[in-house]
Amino acid sequence: MLRPVLIVLFSFLALCLPARAQLFSGEEKVTPSLIADTTAVVAGKPFTAGVRLKMKSGWHTYWQFGGSSGAPTRISWQLPEGFKASPIQWPLPTARVDEGELTYIYENDVLLLVEITPPAQLPSTGSISLKANLHWLVCEKLCVPGEGDVSLDLPVAAEAAPANAELFAQWRAQLPKSTPFPFALQWETGAKEIKARLSGLPKEFKAEFFPLPGEAQVGQPAISEPAADGSRVITIPVEGDTKGFKGVLATQKDGAPRESWAVSRTDSAVVAPAAAAPAAVAVPSSTQSAIATRAATPGLLGILWAAFLGGLILNLMPCVLPVIALKIFGFVQQAGEEPRRVFRLGLAFVAGVFTFFLCLAALVVGFQAAGHGLTWGFQFQNPYILAALIGVVFVFALSMFGVFEIILGSDTATALDSLSRKDGYSGAFAHGMFTTLLGTSCTAPFLGGVLGYAFVQPAHVVILIFAVVAAGMSLPYFLLTWQPAWMRFLPKPGAWMERMKQFMGFVLLGVALWLLSVLGATGGTNAIVATTAFLLVLGVACWIYGFARGIVAKIIVLALVIAGWFFILKGQLDSKPVQNNGQAQNVEGGIPWQSFSDEKLMAAVQRGEPVFIDFTADWCLNCKYNERVVIETEPVRAAFKEKKIVALKADWTNGDKKITEMLKRFGRVGVPAYLYYPGNGSESPVVLPEILTQTSLLHTLSQTKP
């Protein structure tokens, strides 16, 4: 397949300098530049600007529709007041098939043409500065999102001469023609495919079709062999709404240059290139810079510092808080023990945290090497992993209630042996891993961008970043066990601890209930019923283990667990909940959310409407906090209504691939994440922090005038 690593799609925290390409493995894969077909700007006279992308040999960027995967280049203009920029005019791409996946690409070099219209009145002297921020995806075997700034200064004059005429002529010849096409098309629309019967084209001409599917999902177009009269049939597999379906049909005779025409399913007449979207009104540079979020990174040291802070703050996230009490309870139990042993237990816990993060780093590196991608919180999107997590939490809760004792200790015949069998080094190590596993259900502040950066870096950088995140998360527990004297601020051990232990059992049952609700979202009612039945069997096994420790009892316990998993759970977790026809769930009187799609986003942005995207998941507690405490509040609802903001909800509960691609596009590999397109002709979104406040959100929304 064409590298499912393409889930590392779109632009994210890009290492780039103005008018330079992003560096990847020390090399520039794309070099952008900005040119014009005129020597000067004349008031009221349109001219053409060209964004040129030169790709390193073997690398490619994408057409306006990437095909099976890929993302088009985006241009965010920063023009003087009154200037207008048209949509991009896209030259013909090359169709590329790689391991069964079809994409539409540009190799080596491409010039994207944009018509610039100056205002009717300009100063008689001086110069005009054209600036644009570019986002592209360049791929070979791996894909690298990139960003760059380009600019061009042109003098203002009463007259102008042509410039770069040969280059512009070369690329204009590759645009779809606006003249009537010299053949006939007859469209037929079926339930699963669209057919275009092409006639009037001589047999010796080759035909190619490049789809622009709108909101439909399309497969690989197939063109039949030409009949004696040259007629042929183009068949395009489709799913979904085909109302906006159109495309570009290209013809070629022998080795002559290709010619192409834009064609529509509903009308065989010519559809003018790029006519679907209105011209974007340029925003003054000062405003544009205030609202556009740049994805430039502060360098590896800055990333490492953010990784450390993100790991430290991860301890305060609601995903981790339910199990923090268990760790503190363990420290209280250990407060009266020998200090050096407490420190060694702390080191074992820290080792568990580091082991989990380094294993995750190894997974990322391994998946990259295999051409796949990995995301933060992926385990919450797999029903079998979720069921196993629920079982582990449930078993811990039963232990807290005294149904049985977990024995995780060393076998040394020392005086500390009895202590280590209650909370031994292996127990502390496992606790560190388990805590980190639960903590990955959502990202902390700083971690979103850091992980987006890390997931597409070389192996040694991936490992270094994850190790620093582990160091940040481990620091409080390392310090607390290194200086046991600080535990004097904790309550002294006593009879209350048994009640506290039982209370912690209820806390863990609450965590299990939350995970069970997440499983219901990913696997449906059958998954909840099957998992609950499995927990009943697991509870019986723990009860037997609590009073019978012989070899027979252990065999019975093991047999119950294995039988419960294979005969109750297996197969029941594969079903999916009934979908709601793509509609987001809304509360009465709340924000009118729509389910996210690229097509809805592009249509709204092209209309100049402000758009807010909420990337969320049922298993993300940070997401639910932001939604209930910040987003779905009266002041924010009123702002959405007043400014007519299009609200899109990207539900990532089941790991939707397109949403994953959108997250990666903006340097995120987990939720929560929020994007705000202010409208006003700007295509550059504001990337909001993971943890929102009402004040900061309203301030961001205020950039759009009603």
Side-chain angles (χ1 to χ4, degrees):
M1 301 175 70
L2 180 61
R3 319 304 174 200
V5 79
L6 284 175
I7 62 172
V8 188
L9 271 177
F10 309 115
S11 56
F12 72 119
L13 296 171
L15 295 171
C16 57
L17 297 171
R20 296 287 292 175
Q22 178 182 336
L23 293 177
F24 180 76
S25 299
E27 294 184 346
E28 293 180 352
K29 305 305 180 186
V30 175
T31 302
S33 61
L34 180 62
I35 60 176
D37 67 347
T38 182
T39 57
V41 177
V42 179
K45 182 179 179 181
F47 62 94
T48 302
V51 172
R52 191 174 190 183
L53 301 178
K54 288 188 175 183
M55 284 78 78
K56 186 176 176 63
S57 178
W59 293 74
H60 58 266
T61 57
Y62 291 89
W63 188 50
Q64 57 181 313
F65 173 61
S68 300
S69 54
T73 299
R74 296 186 299 114
I75 305 174
S76 299
W77 289 99
Q78 300 172 38
L79 303 177
E81 190 77 31
F83 279 68
K84 294 183 179 180
S86 75
I88 299 172
Q89 300 174 52
W90 297 88
L92 272 178
T94 299
R96 169 187 169 127
V97 179
D98 187 356
E99 298 182 2
E101 289 194 7
L102 175 66
T103 53
Y104 304 107
I105 64 170
Y106 299 116
E107 296 177 291
N108 302 320
D109 191 14
V110 67
L111 188 67
L112 304 178
L113 307 179
V114 177
E115 185 176 272
I116 305 293
T117 303
Q121 301 294 327
L122 285 175
S124 57
T125 60
S127 64
I128 294 298
S129 180
L130 309 178
K131 297 180 180 180
N133 177 248
L134 314 177
H135 293 261
W136 62 79
L137 182 72
V138 60
C139 298
E140 189 203 32
K141 294 181 179 179
L142 294 176
C143 289
V144 184
E147 179 188 10
D149 293 321
V150 292
S151 62
L152 175 66
D153 292 331
L154 291 173
V156 177
E159 296 181 354
N164 303 301
E166 183 176 342
L167 185 61
F168 275 87
Q170 172 191 341
W171 290 100
R172 282 193 177 108
Q174 299 182 49
L175 296 176
K177 297 178 180 294
S178 57
T179 57
F181 42 75
F183 45 78
L185 279 174
Q186 182 181 359
W187 296 90
E188 296 179 11
T189 303
K192 293 293 185 180
E193 63 183 20
I194 291 176
K195 290 185 177 181
R197 299 188 180 275
L198 174 63
S199 59
L201 186 68
K203 184 178 181 180
E204 62 268 25
F205 277 72
K206 175 186 175 183
E208 291 180 278
F209 184 78
F210 303 92
L212 293 170
E215 294 193 7
Q217 302 294 319
V218 300
Q220 181 172 336
I223 302 180
S224 66
E225 290 294 324
D229 61 353
S231 62
R232 59 208 83 184
V233 177
I234 305 169
T235 304
I236 308 103
V238 294
E239 290 184 5
D241 184 7
T242 61
K243 184 177 181 180
F245 183 92
K246 54 185 179 180
V248 175
L249 198 150
T251 65
Q252 184 181 30
K253 181 179 180 181
D254 300 326
R258 293 182 297 173
E259 296 182 304
S260 65
W261 292 263
V263 295
S264 169
R265 183 179 62 90
T266 57
D267 188 352
S268 60
V270 172
V271 179
V281 179
V283 181
S285 298
S286 58
T287 306
Q288 192 82 303
S289 61
I291 64 175
T293 300
R294 299 297 176 206
T297 66
L300 183 57
L301 288 179
I303 288 292
L304 293 178
W305 174 241
F308 180 80
L309 290 179
L312 186 63
I313 298 174
L314 193 60
N315 290 289
L316 303 179
M317 293 297 99
C319 335
V320 182
L321 279 174
V323 292
I324 284 183
L326 294 177
K327 291 178 282 184
I328 299 300
F329 177 68
F331 289 146
V332 170
Q333 284 184 310
Q334 299 161 19
E337 298 177 10
E338 196 272 324
R340 282 184 294 181
R341 180 179 181 275
V342 173
F343 181 53
R344 289 194 294 269
L345 285 169
L347 289 180
F349 176 87
V350 168
V353 174
F354 268 86
T355 299
F356 182 90
F357 275 107
L358 292 178
C359 287
L360 185 56
L363 277 176
V364 172
V365 172
F367 272 63
Q368 284 179 345
H372 299 273
L374 202 62
T375 56
W376 187 256
F378 66 94
Q379 72 275 13
F380 289 89
Q381 298 164 351
N382 184 302
Y384 287 97
I385 298 179
L386 264 177
L389 271 177
I390 293 169
V392 170
V393 173
F394 182 69
V395 167
F396 282 174
L398 294 182
S399 175
M400 290 291 174
F401 290 138
V403 175
F404 76 106
E405 270 191 351
I406 300 176
I407 298 180
L408 294 169
S410 65
D411 295 324
T412 58
T414 64
L416 297 177
D417 181 63
S418 60
L419 292 174
S420 66
R421 286 187 176 274
K422 283 190 176 181
D423 292 287
Y425 302 123
S426 57
F429 178 85
H431 200 177
M433 293 193 67
F434 178 68
T435 299
T436 313
L437 177 64
L438 281 181
T440 57
S441 66
C442 48
T443 59
F446 301 108
L447 270 189
V450 167
L451 294 172
Y453 173 84
F455 274 47
V456 291
Q457 295 305 304
H460 67 282
V461 177
V462 174
I463 294 171
L464 177 62
I465 290 175
F466 276 89
V468 172
V469 175
M473 187 174 183
S474 304
L475 182 63
Y477 315 107
F478 174 81
L479 293 177
L480 195 56
T481 54
W482 176 49
Q483 293 290 340
W486 294 346
M487 293 185 186
R488 68 177 181 272
F489 298 108
L490 299 175
K492 294 183 179 298
W496 65 272
M497 292 179 59
E498 185 61 27
R499 298 290 176 261
M500 181 67 175
K501 179 180 178 182
Q502 294 169 358
F503 175 75
M504 287 299 100
F506 287 106
V507 172
L508 284 177
L509 285 182
V511 175
L513 187 61
W514 161 58
L515 291 173
L516 195 61
S517 69
V518 174
L519 182 63
T522 60
T525 305
N526 287 345
I528 294 179
V529 173
T531 304
T532 306
F534 173 69
L535 293 181
L536 177 62
V537 174
L538 197 60
V540 172
C542 291
W543 174 69
I544 294 174
Y545 185 76
F547 69 81
R549 293 295 180 88
I551 185 65
V552 175
K554 290 181 180 179
I555 292 175
I556 293 174
V557 168
L558 184 61
L560 282 173
V561 174
I562 293 175
W565 181 269
F566 284 98
F567 292 101
I568 297 178
L569 275 184
K570 190 171 177 59
Q572 296 299 317
L573 301 184
D574 297 322
S575 60
K576 298 295 181 184
V578 177
Q579 300 298 318
N580 54 3
N581 298 322
Q583 298 299 315
Q585 295 182 353
N586 295 314
V587 298
E588 185 177 356
I591 296 171
W593 295 99
Q594 303 176 45
S595 295
F596 168 81
S597 73
D598 286 329
E599 293 75 18
K600 291 178 183 177
L601 172 61
M602 291 173 62
V605 170
Q606 289 175 350
R607 291 193 300 264
E609 298 174 343
V611 182
F612 183 86
I613 307 177
D614 175 10
F615 295 88
T616 184
D618 288 344
W619 40 260
C620 173
L621 294 182
N622 284 358
C623 304
K624 301 306 177 186
Y625 170 85
N626 287 335
E627 289 167 7
R628 295 180 182 179
V629 178
V630 179
I631 299 175
E632 288 288 355
T633 58
E634 286 305 320
V636 175
R637 289 175 179 174
F640 269 71
K641 185 176 181 180
E642 177 188 10
K643 301 176 186 301
K644 299 180 180 179
I645 297 171
V646 177
L648 300 179
K649 182 157 291 189
D651 189 346
W652 203 50
T653 300
N654 294 319
D656 183 272
K657 181 180 178 181
K658 288 190 174 181
I659 295 175
T660 302
E661 292 172 348
M662 189 68 176
L663 285 167
K664 295 284 181 73
R665 176 179 179 180
F666 292 96
R668 296 292 185 265
V669 291
V671 290
Y674 306 95
L675 296 178
Y676 182 58
Y677 292 79
N680 306 322
S682 171
E683 296 184 2
S684 295
V686 179
V687 182
L688 283 76
E690 288 90 342
I691 303 301
L692 298 176
T693 65
Q694 190 179 99
T695 301
S696 65
L697 179 55
L698 290 174
H699 175 73
T700 301
L701 300 182
S702 69
Q703 298 172 21
T704 298
K705 303 302 179 184

